[in-house]
Amino acid sequence: MGLVVQKYGGSSVADAEGIKRVAKRIVDAKKNGHQVVVVVSAMGDTTDELTDLAEQVSPIPAGRELDMLLTSGERISMALLAMAIKSLGHEAQSFTGSQAGVITDSVHNKARIIDVTPGRIRTALDEGNIAIVAGFQGVSQDKKDITTLGRGGSDTTAVALAAALDAEVCEIYTDVDGVFTADPRVVPKARKIDWISIEDMLELAASGSKVLLHRCVEYARRYNIPIHVRSSFSGLRGTWVSNQPQGDQQVEHAIISGVAHDVSEAKITVVGVPDKPGEAAAIFRSIANAEINIDMVVQNVSAASTGLTDISFTLPKTEGRKAIDALEKAKGTIGFDSLRYDDQIGKISLVGAGMKTNPGVTAGFFEALSEANVNIELISTSEIRISVVTRADDVNEAVRAVHTAFGLDTESDEAVVYGGTGR
Amino acid sequence: MGLVVQKYGGSSVADAEGIKRVAKRIVDAKKNGHQVVVVVSAMGDTTDELTDLAEQVSPIPAGRELDMLLTSGERISMALLAMAIKSLGHEAQSFTGSQAGVITDSVHNKARIIDVTPGRIRTALDEGNIAIVAGFQGVSQDKKDITTLGRGGSDTTAVALAAALDAEVCEIYTDVDGVFTADPRVVPKARKIDWISIEDMLELAASGSKVLLHRCVEYARRYNIPIHVRSSFSGLRGTWVSNQPQGDQQVEHAIISGVAHDVSEAKITVVGVPDKPGEAAAIFRSIANAEINIDMVVQNVSAASTGLTDISFTLPKTEGRKAIDALEKAKGTIGFDSLRYDDQIGKISLVGAGMKTNPGVTAGFFEALSEANVNIELISTSEIRISVVTRADDVNEAVRAVHTAFGLDTESDEAVVYGGTGR
């Protein structure tokens, strides 16, 4: 029996009852002979409430102070969780990100972990304690200021601690039963996946699946940490995310792992770009300078008569305004006719390592969309993923059609519950 | 223009509006050329709410974890206050007790400050920042755990920082205009005191005045830090507490500083104690072993016929049960007839350095009580204080009578507002 890192999201510890329920589950793991490190998010909507407060006192809250503010949320949940465990007769100690040795860079509100030095956690474990660690937070290496890791940060804390402590597994407890072949709110027949490779999980996360965030999966891949995503409400086995299936897992080697969708993106089309070297570079340099991450990029075939082409790309809707501003500012030097902005788009992605060796997958994907009468606006592919952009209104229908076409529908009628993972 | 430490209680920063109001006041001090260090309590009822949460998950919350929990309260208020200041165009940085170098012993929930090493505060000030420090909290010297200082802890933080930073003054902002000659809720004609000596303030605090707690005044005396108690709502000068009046203060050398009262105590009478050496010692050793602080002690004259005497003492009502239990347990070895417990008592104290050289004070005090028809049950005196215990029901009338008799009534009709100081 080795060391286990467990992470509980905000919805699992939303109130005193939730905290007591989670405490029992943690104690069970301890009783089973594990050393247990727990990473916990802030209770329920605490982070949103604190953000609201910040906006009431300051329209643009200073990053350092916002981090100081937000980290109080985990401080509350971790202390309460440690108390609840102690009242069950087991020893527990809570640690802030700083105390747990989570060292980050100095980029407030979205810091990156650069080192984990869990000396105090190790000592606490050796003394028989359950260690409770605040998720989502760290301390900056140079200034010793409190930092936060941004969205999904608690998952990243958990995986990073698991790596630093050489844990057997990082268990991510959430309010769903695991990773599904599609979002069950959209596809009622979506199946829970028993095992998925880290590569496929990375593509699903990048394509809009919300259960695990991309950054956390990347970390798990780099340090080879198996992740077990499971429900904090049921006792069921969830989804294992790892390089290889666990010894006793029945895994059919699926061609397709799942269908992800994303309606959080917008499309910008730069119309009438001179078809000559350097134009595309100039466009994306101006976008990069504005610190905007883009997703898909497509360049139309140039019209021979005019020597002009159109370039389309997708990006988070939240960055749309900034991107338009950046391009308008650079219009004189780049040279294009006009900009078109469209935020009524959706993206559907089919992910699976099996598609590398199954040439019919792309054709089957497009056929399914065609039969569902869904028009394709952009296409982008990787070795283990195909993504298309469609009208936002078509997304749900498209996901269901593709899910059925690739034989992913479950036959059982069991109800599944689905929601966010907190942060 | 030197360094000023300002402390704001929970009622001053109860909501976003309060925080913005306090931010303006802080910026004003900065504009006047001061270096400013601000100590802030948790917002409004935050601490009570967190304590409630703790009790929901654990009947007797672990001290270390309770401290971790409660300190999130100041983390929230200090970060918001720093943001509010920055949005007014001034630089501010918030610091936890630990970051501010408030080093304590390891007694969770009522730690004592053993050192203050404000290196980061000094650096922040030198760089032109206003430093915002979490009150009420520190870090333990041996284990590096988060600790809290107990009731009134933020005031103590402020005075301790003022001492460590060699501040000109420690300003305690609260929801009253200063220290009054009596509690204005009881004595509408109570006067605000312009200046009071630290010794008199110590006695008032020990006798039930709630504006400043005893521990904070003790700290100010030890390090010779002038305290200015004033309202965060008005711009008025409040009460200076210091060894000497400030240069421009008009101070009539009052015989009496004020009248304090306290209805939070109970009286225990140990009846029928053998009048022989060691009996009183045995009684108070058993009380001390139960870690109970007692206040007044009176031993009756022994009745010659029986060789027995009664010993009465007062203590906080909250400790009553514990004291009775301790005495009952020791009854066999001490030897007494019975115990009487009375929590319907009140204490009235007259405080003033002038009484040392004015022999008529004691007589005048008793005469005033007698005229008000108030019966005296216990008497205790120090060089600058006389205290009596009466029926709780008589306290308010007694305070008013004594206040008038010693010429403390104000002649103006100005309304005064009175309340707690937060912690």
Side-chain angles (χ1 to χ4, degrees):
Chain A
M1 288 300 194
L3 192 155
V4 171
V5 174
Q6 300 186 332
K7 180 261 172 177
Y8 293 91
S11 58
S12 302
V13 292
D15 53 21
E17 283 317 301
I19 287 170
K20 287 196 262 188
R21 183 168 38 73
V22 165
K24 285 207 191 76
R25 185 176 282 275
I26 293 167
V27 166
D28 284 345
K30 174 79 176 170
K31 281 184 186 159
N32 285 339
H34 290 288
Q35 286 193 311
V36 187
V37 175
V38 176
V39 174
V40 67
S41 300
M43 293 170 73
D45 299 326
T46 307
T47 305
D48 290 342
E49 288 163 16
L50 291 172
T51 306
D52 282 353
L53 259 179
E55 283 166 4
Q56 283 176 44
V57 301
S58 174
I60 306 164
R64 177 185 186 277
E65 301 306 326
L66 190 59
D67 280 353
M68 185 67 94
L69 178 73
L70 295 182
T71 50
S72 63
E74 287 77 27
R75 206 174 179 91
I76 293 170
S77 54
M78 75 180 187
L80 291 171
L81 190 52
M83 288 175 196
I85 291 170
K86 288 173 84 86
S87 81
L88 295 175
H90 287 258
E91 287 306 312
Q93 287 196 335
S94 67
F95 297 93
T96 63
S98 168
Q99 290 175 336
V102 179
I103 317 289
T104 73
D105 60 23
S106 294
V107 184
H108 284 292
N109 311 147
K110 48 179 180 181
R112 295 193 75 90
I113 295 176
I114 51 184
D115 197 9
V116 180
T117 55
R120 288 189 69 173
I121 304 296
R122 184 66 82 185
T123 304
L125 293 173
D126 290 347
E127 289 170 355
N129 287 285
I130 294 164
I132 316 289
V133 179
F136 177 66
Q137 58 179 252
V139 62
S140 68
Q141 192 168 41
D142 51 353
K143 292 188 184 164
K144 309 295 175 217
D145 280 332
I146 305 301
T147 53
T148 63
L149 308 177
R151 210 168 120 54
S154 289
D155 288 1
T156 309
T157 302
V159 174
L161 270 173
L165 292 164
D166 199 19
E168 254 177 23
V169 58
C170 178
E171 296 184 332
I172 306 279
Y173 284 89
T174 176
D175 50 6
V176 296
D177 284 335
V179 181
F180 281 76
T181 50
D183 183 340
R185 287 171 300 189
V186 171
V187 183
K189 290 188 170 178
R191 265 194 298 119
K192 193 194 75 189
I193 300 170
D194 288 329
W195 172 79
I196 185 172
S197 71
I198 293 193
E199 272 64 33
D200 280 15
M201 191 66 234
L202 264 181
E203 289 282 3
L204 280 181
S207 305
S209 167
K210 304 264 185 315
V211 182
L212 287 179
L213 286 181
H214 191 261
R215 200 163 146 201
C216 148
V217 185
E218 250 182 1
Y219 216 104
R221 177 169 65 172
R222 196 179 329 146
Y223 293 99
N224 193 18
I225 301 295
I227 296 178
H228 185 185
V229 182
R230 56 196 306 197
S231 166
S232 70
F233 295 87
S234 79
L236 300 177
R237 166 176 290 203
T239 301
W240 282 82
V241 183
S242 60
N243 282 333
Q244 294 295 328
Q246 305 301 300
D248 56 340
Q249 277 177 334
Q250 300 295 326
V251 176
E252 71 283 30
H253 278 278
I255 295 173
I256 301 301
S257 288
V259 185
H261 72 276
D262 190 352
V263 290
S264 70
E265 295 194 339
K267 181 176 71 171
I268 289 175
T269 302
V270 188
V271 180
V273 180
D275 192 2
K276 60 177 194 203
E279 285 296 308
I283 286 170
F284 292 107
R285 173 54 56 203
S286 70
I287 295 292
N289 286 346
E291 288 188 16
I292 297 165
N293 286 320
I294 59 167
D295 181 18
M296 293 165 71
V297 179
V298 174
Q299 178 169 346
N300 291 358
V301 177
S302 174
S305 57
T306 60
L308 296 178
T309 185
D310 298 342
I311 294 178
S312 294
F313 62 91
T314 63
L315 78 175
K317 280 179 191 170
T318 49
E319 306 279 21
R321 185 74 258 160
K322 210 161 58 161
I324 294 287
D325 288 348
L327 288 170
E328 288 290 359
K329 231 171 86 183
K331 187 172 182 180
T333 51
I334 299 176
F336 58 83
D337 286 348
S338 62
L339 295 174
R340 279 210 298 265
Y341 181 74
D342 178 357
D343 62 6
Q344 294 303 307
I345 63 161
K347 183 173 73 167
I348 300 118
S349 303
L350 189 64
V351 170
M355 69 173 68
K356 278 190 280 199
T357 49
N358 282 271
V361 170
T362 307
F365 185 51
F366 292 165
E367 278 160 17
L369 292 171
S370 163
E371 276 161 33
N373 215 15
V374 172
N375 193 44
I376 299 172
E377 302 188 9
L378 296 178
I379 300 170
S380 134
T381 61
S382 81
E383 266 201 296
I384 60 172
R385 177 185 51 78
I386 317 172
S387 301
V388 297
V389 165
T390 68
R391 287 292 87 201
D393 288 346
D394 289 338
V395 163
N396 289 359
E397 183 55 34
V399 172
R400 282 190 289 266
V402 172
H403 196 267
T404 303
F406 282 90
L408 297 172
D409 289 359
T410 179
E411 278 148 42
S412 83
D413 288 331
E414 56 178 328
V416 288
V417 185
Y418 194 85
T421 58
R423 67 183 188 203
Chain B
M1 288 303 193
L3 192 155
V4 171
V5 175
Q6 299 186 332
K7 179 261 172 178
Y8 293 90
S11 58
S12 303
V13 292
D15 53 22
E17 283 317 300
I19 287 170
K20 288 196 260 189
R21 184 169 37 75
V22 165
K24 285 206 191 77
R25 184 176 282 275
I26 293 167
V27 165
D28 284 346
K30 173 81 176 170
K31 281 184 186 160
N32 284 338
H34 290 288
Q35 285 192 313
V36 187
V37 175
V38 176
V39 174
V40 67
S41 299
M43 293 170 73
D45 300 325
T46 307
T47 304
D48 291 341
E49 288 163 16
L50 291 172
T51 306
D52 283 353
L53 258 178
E55 283 165 6
Q56 283 176 44
V57 301
S58 174
I60 306 163
R64 177 185 187 278
E65 302 306 326
L66 190 59
D67 281 353
M68 185 67 95
L69 178 73
L70 295 182
T71 50
S72 63
E74 287 77 26
R75 205 173 178 94
I76 293 170
S77 54
M78 74 180 187
L80 291 171
L81 190 52
M83 288 175 196
I85 291 169
K86 287 173 84 88
S87 81
L88 294 175
H90 287 258
E91 287 306 314
Q93 287 196 336
S94 66
F95 297 93
T96 64
S98 168
Q99 290 176 337
V102 179
I103 316 290
T104 73
D105 61 23
S106 294
V107 184
H108 285 291
N109 310 146
K110 50 179 180 181
R112 295 194 74 90
I113 295 175
I114 52 185
D115 197 9
V116 180
T117 55
R120 288 189 68 174
I121 305 296
R122 184 66 80 186
T123 304
L125 292 173
D126 290 347
E127 289 169 354
N129 288 285
I130 293 164
I132 315 290
V133 179
F136 177 67
Q137 59 179 252
V139 63
S140 68
Q141 191 167 42
D142 50 353
K143 293 189 184 164
K144 310 294 175 217
D145 281 332
I146 304 302
T147 54
T148 64
L149 308 178
R151 209 168 122 53
S154 290
D155 288 1
T156 309
T157 302
V159 174
L161 270 172
L165 291 164
D166 199 19
E168 253 178 23
V169 59
C170 178
E171 296 183 333
I172 307 279
Y173 284 89
T174 177
D175 50 6
V176 297
D177 284 335
V179 181
F180 282 75
T181 51
D183 183 340
R185 288 171 300 190
V186 172
V187 184
K189 290 187 169 176
R191 264 193 299 119
K192 193 193 76 190
I193 301 170
D194 288 328
W195 170 79
I196 184 171
S197 72
I198 292 192
E199 272 63 33
D200 281 13
M201 191 66 233
L202 263 182
E203 289 283 2
L204 279 181
S207 305
S209 167
K210 305 265 185 314
V211 182
L212 288 178
L213 286 182
H214 192 260
R215 200 164 147 200
C216 147
V217 184
E218 250 182 0
Y219 216 103
R221 177 171 65 173
R222 197 178 329 145
Y223 294 98
N224 194 18
I225 301 295
I227 296 178
H228 185 186
V229 182
R230 57 196 305 197
S231 166
S232 69
F233 295 86
S234 78
L236 299 177
R237 164 176 292 203
T239 300
W240 282 82
V241 183
S242 60
N243 282 333
Q244 295 295 327
Q246 305 300 302
D248 56 341
Q249 278 177 333
Q250 299 295 325
V251 176
E252 68 287 26
H253 279 276
I255 295 173
I256 300 301
S257 288
V259 186
H261 72 276
D262 190 352
V263 290
S264 71
E265 296 194 339
K267 181 177 72 171
I268 289 176
T269 303
V270 188
V271 180
V273 181
D275 192 3
K276 60 178 192 199
E279 285 297 308
I283 287 170
F284 292 108
R285 173 54 56 203
S286 71
I287 296 291
N289 287 346
E291 288 188 17
I292 297 165
N293 286 320
I294 59 169
D295 181 18
M296 292 165 71
V297 180
V298 174
Q299 178 170 345
N300 291 357
V301 177
S302 173
S305 56
T306 60
L308 296 177
T309 186
D310 299 342
I311 294 177
S312 295
F313 60 92
T314 62
L315 76 176
K317 280 179 190 170
T318 50
E319 305 280 22
R321 185 73 259 162
K322 211 161 57 161
I324 294 286
D325 289 347
L327 288 171
E328 288 290 0
K329 232 170 86 182
K331 186 173 181 180
T333 51
I334 300 176
F336 57 83
D337 287 347
S338 62
L339 295 173
R340 279 210 299 266
Y341 181 73
D342 179 358
D343 62 7
Q344 295 303 307
I345 62 161
K347 185 173 72 167
I348 301 117
S349 302
L350 189 65
V351 171
M355 69 173 68
K356 278 191 281 200
T357 50
N358 283 270
V361 170
T362 306
F365 185 51
F366 293 165
E367 279 159 17
L369 293 170
S370 162
E371 276 161 32
N373 215 14
V374 172
N375 193 43
I376 299 171
E377 304 188 8
L378 297 179
I379 301 171
S380 134
T381 60
S382 80
E383 267 200 296
I384 60 171
R385 177 185 50 79
I386 315 171
S387 301
V388 296
V389 165
T390 69
R391 289 292 87 202
D393 289 346
D394 289 338
V395 163
N396 289 358
E397 183 55 34
V399 172
R400 282 190 288 267
V402 172
H403 196 266
T404 303
F406 282 88
L408 297 172
D409 289 358
T410 179
E411 278 148 43
S412 84
D413 288 330
E414 58 179 325
V416 288
V417 185
Y418 194 85
T421 59
R423 69 184 187 202

